[in-house]
Amino acid sequence: MDTSLDRWRRLAPEAQLLTPDGRGPFPTVLIFHGCGGLRSHLHAYARSAVSAGWAALLVDSFTPRGWSRDHARMLICTGLRFRGGRRAGDVLAAIAGASRLPLVDPERIVLAGWSHGAWAIMDLLALPLIRAGEAGLSDAPDVPLTGVRGGFLAYPYVGIASASRGGRPWHRPLRLLSVVPRRDHLASVRRHMRALASAVAAGSEVSVWSVDATHAFDEPGLMARIIRYDETLSREALDRFAGFLGAISPPRPAPRS
């Protein structure tokens, strides 16, 4: 079984850190992709974070494991393997690894996930993290989460096998912004709100953007009936993302010369 840093060493070669100008350390958002893998729109979110004075760490869970996009579509998007509870170990390992990077402020971290990535974040927060082996990591209780200030959840998967769908309580509160599409084919608005109730019960401050769009509406190139890209709403999503980060931790003023 991996330790958190063993897992991070496996993920780190494919992780990408973008930072603003300056010496840092910077407040940092950790970005976790959906079941289709690390796509171009997530780089747009990372650049939006940098413009807001944040660093952005894009964490790829698939390439280090040798998984192709086709493999992900057939096995992960269908829920046959690597469900959110297992991927929660990647989230915890990324927190441990990022906190050691000199450009990252370990006391100002936000977790951001899209669909499957949001599922992994939510499942992590539903774990007590008091026993070795939770999230598939031998040292899970030893990874400090005190610096994790918030979570951005874009159309999270809250269906079968999701801990929050089952009402499992969260064990730590966060300031959250959840993007809930009203035409999400994977979950109704009511199902999303029931899943977020687990966060509310833990004392989280939860904001919801209820948007007239489909699942994955912010990913260019998706034009199917049930998943359709919306350019206007995608731009708004980027603005809301940057605004959420700024509300959690505004950029620190540059020191006077």
Side-chain angles (χ1 to χ4, degrees):
M1 182 179 294
D2 290 343
T3 66
S4 57
L5 292 181
D6 286 339
R7 179 75 60 85
W8 176 243
R9 291 187 190 102
R10 186 178 184 185
L11 298 173
E14 298 297 334
Q16 302 172 51
L17 179 65
L18 282 67
T19 62
D21 293 335
R23 293 185 298 175
F26 303 103
T28 303
V29 56
L30 311 185
I31 291 177
F32 299 92
H33 58 75
C35 73
L38 190 58
R39 311 295 291 165
S40 63
H41 66 301
L42 297 185
H43 289 86
Y45 280 97
R47 292 191 295 271
S48 179
V50 170
S51 296
W54 282 61
L57 183 65
L58 295 131
V59 181
D60 185 343
S61 286
F62 295 171
T63 303
R65 293 179 166 91
W67 294 345
S68 68
R69 182 166 170 79
D70 286 342
H71 173 96
R73 283 175 171 171
M74 289 186 294
L75 297 178
I76 299 170
C77 292
T78 55
L80 294 177
R81 69 179 304 183
F82 203 58
R83 293 178 173 181
R86 182 178 173 195
R87 193 176 174 199
D90 283 14
V91 179
L92 192 59
I95 295 168
S99 297
R100 291 171 172 254
L101 298 177
L103 291 176
V104 172
D105 184 344
E107 297 303 317
R108 294 186 293 164
I109 287 176
V110 163
L111 307 177
W114 282 255
S115 192
H116 193 284
W119 177 12
I121 291 169
M122 295 173 79
D123 272 23
L124 175 65
L125 295 169
L127 290 172
L129 299 179
I130 57 175
R131 296 183 299 277
E134 290 184 89
L137 299 178
S138 62
D139 61 342
D142 300 328
V143 179
L145 298 181
T146 54
V148 178
R149 300 291 186 87
F152 178 84
L153 308 174
Y155 39 87
Y157 175 77
V158 291
I160 294 172
S162 163
S164 295
R165 179 186 189 275
R168 190 184 304 171
W170 287 18
H171 290 271
R172 50 201 57 82
L174 286 182
R175 185 171 181 177
L176 296 175
L177 174 57
S178 186
V179 181
V180 177
R182 296 197 291 274
R183 291 183 280 127
D184 190 345
H185 68 291
L186 294 176
S188 66
V189 172
R190 179 176 294 182
R191 174 59 64 195
H192 278 283
M193 300 311 293
R194 286 178 179 172
L196 289 171
S198 296
V200 173
S204 297
E205 178 185 337
V206 180
S207 298
V208 174
W209 179 32
S210 177
V211 57
D212 184 20
T214 69
H215 196 86
F217 68 89
D218 55 349
E219 183 174 344
L222 299 180
M223 296 304 292
R225 182 180 62 84
I226 59 173
I227 301 181
R228 179 171 289 270
Y229 173 64
D230 188 307
E231 183 177 359
T232 300
L233 290 175
S234 295
R235 288 197 297 267
E236 184 174 351
L238 288 169
D239 290 342
R240 287 177 179 264
F241 176 68
F244 175 69
L245 296 178
I248 288 181
S249 183
R252 290 174 176 169
R256 294 181 179 180
S257 57

